[in-house]
């Protein structure tokens, strides 16, 4: 049976590796860190990109905090350091909403860059917890509407296809349940819906609903959690 000291030493060795990994990533920029924390969070069962980042960030933060706690004190300090590091590494609910809103606006800009395309982002205020665990009000994505050019949809144009792929990724990576309404004629809906479904992950919770209409349109509607 391992002694407490041996157990702490073993945890510390893992924490050291994690902390070293995190420090190396910090030198490479936020995009790399986002990717890494998503991978780490995925190992621990987080499903969406945003929650994977939060989970991974907490784990990496815990590792760094644990090492610092060990350096400045005993095993109990190491555990306290882990908790502090996790708090710093995790993404707050406020940041989650801000991140998802920024992604929606980026997709809207891409859609409007397509000839004949138009996009509208609608927000709604929700209560969420900040990095200190305090409840605050933040703008969250309520609805993203994208009007697609009929000619581009008929031709299966590459720029339209790219918008559809990004829409699928946006909905699939959301932290809350999301619905994508596909409006248009039967022919339009058939291609659009199949393209979107093909880019959803296996086991995705995104609902793709087809709605009869005269022109092609997407309506992406995540449902933000009011409790944060």
């Amino acid at each position: 049976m391992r002694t407490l000291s041996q157990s702490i030493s073993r945890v510390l060795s893992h924490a050291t590796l994690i902390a070293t990994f995190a420090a190396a990533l910090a030198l490479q920029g936020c995009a790399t860190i986002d990717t890494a924390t998503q991978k780490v969070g995925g190992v621990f069962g987080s499903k969406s990109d945003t929650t994977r980042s939060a989970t991974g960030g907490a784990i990496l933060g815990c590792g760094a905090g644990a090492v610092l706690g060990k350096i400045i004190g005993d095993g109990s300090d190491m555990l306290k350091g882990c908790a502090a590091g996790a708090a710093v590494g995790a993404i707050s609910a406020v940041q989650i909403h801000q991140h998802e809103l920024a992604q929606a606006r980026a997709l809207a800009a891409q859609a409007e860059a397509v000839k004949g395309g138009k996009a509208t982002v609608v927000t709604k205020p929700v209560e969420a917890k900040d990095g200190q665990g305090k409840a605050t009000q933040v703008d969250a994505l309520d609805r993203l509407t994208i009007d697609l050019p009929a000619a581009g949809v008929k031709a299966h144009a590459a720029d339209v296809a790219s918008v559809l792929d990004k829409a699928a990724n946006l909905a699939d990576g959301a932290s809350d349940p999301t619905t994508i309404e596909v409006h248009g004629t039967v022919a339009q809906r058939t291609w659009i819906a199949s393209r979107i479904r093909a880019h959803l992950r296996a086991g995705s919770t995104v609902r793709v609903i087809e709605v009869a209409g005269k022109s092609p349109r997407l309506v992406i509607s995540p449902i933000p959690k009011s409790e944060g």
Side-chain angles (χ1 to χ4, degrees), residues 97 122-128 136-142 224 226:
H97 289 306
V122 177
T123 63
K124 64 183 290 186
V126 298
E127 278 198 359
T136 186
Q137 196 169 80
V138 62
D139 282 338
L141 176 63
D142 181 44
S226 60

Side-chain angles (χ1 to χ4, degrees), residues 22-210:
L25 290 175
L27 299 177
Q28 299 182 41
C30 294
T32 304
I33 293 175
D34 281 345
T35 300
T37 54
Q38 286 172 12
K39 289 181 179 179
V40 173
V43 172
F44 285 81
S46 298
K47 294 183 178 180
S48 77
D49 290 340
T50 306
T51 54
R52 272 201 301 271
S53 290
T55 302
I59 293 169
L60 293 176
C62 173
V67 171
L68 180 59
K70 181 63 177 178
I71 291 174
I72 63 176
D74 58 17
S76 62
D77 284 330
M78 186 188 79
L79 297 178
K80 291 176 183 177
C82 175
V88 173
I91 298 177
S92 70
V94 169
Q95 290 173 300
I96 289 175
H97 289 306
Q98 291 174 336
H99 176 68
E100 292 178 345
L101 183 54
Q103 286 185 313
R105 285 172 171 158
L107 177 56
Q110 179 180 344
E112 293 205 323
V114 175
K115 185 178 180 180
K118 183 180 179 182
T120 304
V121 176
V122 177
T123 63
K124 64 183 290 186
V126 298
E127 278 198 359
K129 292 180 181 178
D130 60 20
Q132 287 71 48
K134 296 180 181 179
T136 186
Q137 196 169 80
V138 62
D139 282 338
L141 176 63
D142 181 44
R143 184 172 65 258
L144 168 59
T145 302
I146 300 176
D147 291 310
L148 300 165
V153 171
K154 183 177 180 179
H156 298 180
D159 52 358
V160 174
S162 179
V163 169
L164 299 180
D165 297 347
K166 293 289 180 62
N169 292 338
L170 173 66
D172 217 4
S175 59
D176 297 313
T178 304
T179 297
I180 300 180
E181 291 183 7
V182 178
H183 297 247
T185 64
V186 173
Q188 292 169 340
R189 297 197 314 267
T190 297
W191 178 66
I192 294 172
S194 63
R195 181 85 190 191
I196 289 174
R197 290 191 177 102
H199 280 76
L200 295 176
R201 284 189 284 258
S204 173
T205 60
V206 175
R207 292 187 303 160
V208 180
I209 301 174
E210 295 187 36

